[in-house]
Amino acid sequence: MDEEGHPSLLAPIMIATLSTCAQLERDNISFRLQSGRKRYIENGGKLGRKVGSVKTEEQMKAEYREVISLLRKGYSIRDVAKFSGKEVSTAQRVKRLLKVQLQQ
């Protein structure tokens, strides 16, 4: 603001300059992250989940039989989680698996 309380004529220029600096910094951070990942992979590193950390459909069916049984009886997700001692997210994941299998 100037002495009379009006917006300064330099304010838009300053804002545009600061915005450009912030964008350059974001681009620089992204470049450094990508180059670090690339170097890690070149040196034999592996990104992502470890092999075997994701359960197959058969493993999930075997481990969560009780959850599947309760879901087929029509219980709600929260009730299934409470009765089976599992987390709500686990019950949702199993329910999603059942829906996919029913559609096939």
Side-chain angles (χ1 to χ4, degrees):
M1 300 277 186
D2 61 9
E3 298 85 28
E4 299 173 3
H6 297 98
S8 172
L9 296 175
L10 293 177
I13 296 170
M14 291 176 62
I15 291 171
T17 303
L18 291 173
S19 173
T20 302
C21 289
Q23 181 62 45
L24 288 172
E25 183 64 20
R26 283 191 299 273
D27 292 344
N28 191 25
I29 290 169
S30 176
F31 174 77
R32 289 194 316 255
L33 285 170
Q34 293 301 326
S35 66
R37 285 186 183 115
K38 182 179 175 185
R39 187 177 29 207
Y40 176 72
I41 291 169
E42 287 171 355
N43 291 333
K46 296 187 181 190
L47 298 177
R49 293 180 186 254
K50 294 183 180 184
V51 175
S53 66
V54 178
K55 296 177 184 171
T56 64
E57 291 181 13
E58 292 78 26
Q59 289 172 328
M60 285 186 70
K61 285 181 191 177
E63 186 173 346
Y64 302 117
R65 278 192 202 120
E66 183 181 8
V67 173
I68 292 171
S69 172
L70 292 169
L71 285 170
R72 286 191 173 145
K73 289 180 183 176
Y75 286 100
S76 70
I77 295 285
R78 291 184 193 276
D79 286 342
V80 168
K82 185 171 36 172
F83 297 149
S84 65
K86 304 292 183 195
E87 294 293 325
V88 172
S89 60
T90 301
Q92 289 173 331
R93 198 174 316 113
V94 172
K95 184 175 182 179
R96 200 173 319 119
L97 172 68
L98 290 176
K99 282 185 179 181
V100 168
Q101 288 178 347
L102 292 176
Q103 290 175 355
Q104 292 177 351

